[in-house]
Amino acid sequence: MLSVLTVPAFNDNYLWIIHDGVHAAVVDPGDATPILAALEKHQLSLVAILLTHHHADHVGGVAKLLQHFNVPVFAPRKDPIANVSHPLDEGDAVNIPELDLHLSVLAVPGHTLGHIAYVAAEQGWLFCGDTLFAGGCGRLFEGTPTQMLASLDKLAALPDHTKVYCAHEYTISNLRFALAAEPDNAALAARFKAEQAKREVDIPTVPSTIGLEKSTNPFLRAREPAIADQLIAAGRVSGNDKGAVAVFAALRAWKNDFR
């Protein structure tokens, strides 16, 4: 049986270790030090590195890990990343025989142009980097609203039970914004209370699930009339332009400035 270890790093990053009790693959090791400590603590041998995009808090530990382990590095073909042995794009597959782990690759541009996500269909796991967050989505540093909306639609099409292993603990701030965008969403209000209770005792709010995100994450709900109406009332969208891309773009711009 495979499990996923949560490895906190920096101020709010989560690094993920997929393991079977003996072998391990690490997702987005922005810092090698906590990964090496976790591997030693759990007596795991690293067999693969999986990267979703090129930002330093996701790839910064790769070189140091490669000093300790001679392992393949899987990463997006279209992002500029060093030390990659297996460049990937939409439709590619990753097989890690030591773990009997099979991953499919989705191209999810928006946060970066080459951003990818990994889906473990058998386990019902999604490793999505900074594309989809619990209650939110990544900033559009390189891509367009059209690209990011399409990427999120692709992830939303996964089965509702799919666990969402995103890369940051942004949930409470994301849900505060979500409540501003959709104040009458009862499921969202209940989720906010539940997630606050977790954080008060330092429990991670991730993984989430695709089903939970579809019912409470405004960026997956850009086609909901209530959200468009809220944006119109706030003067952020014209009543003549309530299309999903326009609503999504306005939501993302609002979130960028939301305090």
Side-chain angles (χ1 to χ4, degrees), residues 76-146:
R77 182 182 302 276
K78 296 176 182 176
D79 262 14
I81 302 174
N83 299 306
V84 176
S85 61
H86 293 68
L88 302 169
D89 208 337
E90 175 83 21
D92 287 339
V94 174
N95 296 302
I96 302 175
E98 297 92 340
L99 293 170
D100 193 23
L101 176 63
H102 308 283
L103 303 163
S104 57
V105 176
L106 300 177
V108 286
H111 184 66
T112 71
L113 289 178
H115 203 303
I116 61 173
Y118 299 91
V119 179
E122 183 178 345
Q123 290 79 17
W125 296 341
L126 166 68
F127 298 92
C128 53
D130 287 355
T131 297
L132 175 64
F133 292 133
C137 75
R139 286 178 179 261
L140 276 64
F141 287 120
E142 298 174 14
T144 66
T146 298

Side-chain angles (χ1 to χ4, degrees), residues 10 28-33 49 56-66:
F10 308 119
D28 284 349
D31 186 354
T33 301
I49 296 171
D57 61 324
H58 293 252
V59 305
V62 172
K64 185 174 180 180
L65 289 174
L66 291 176

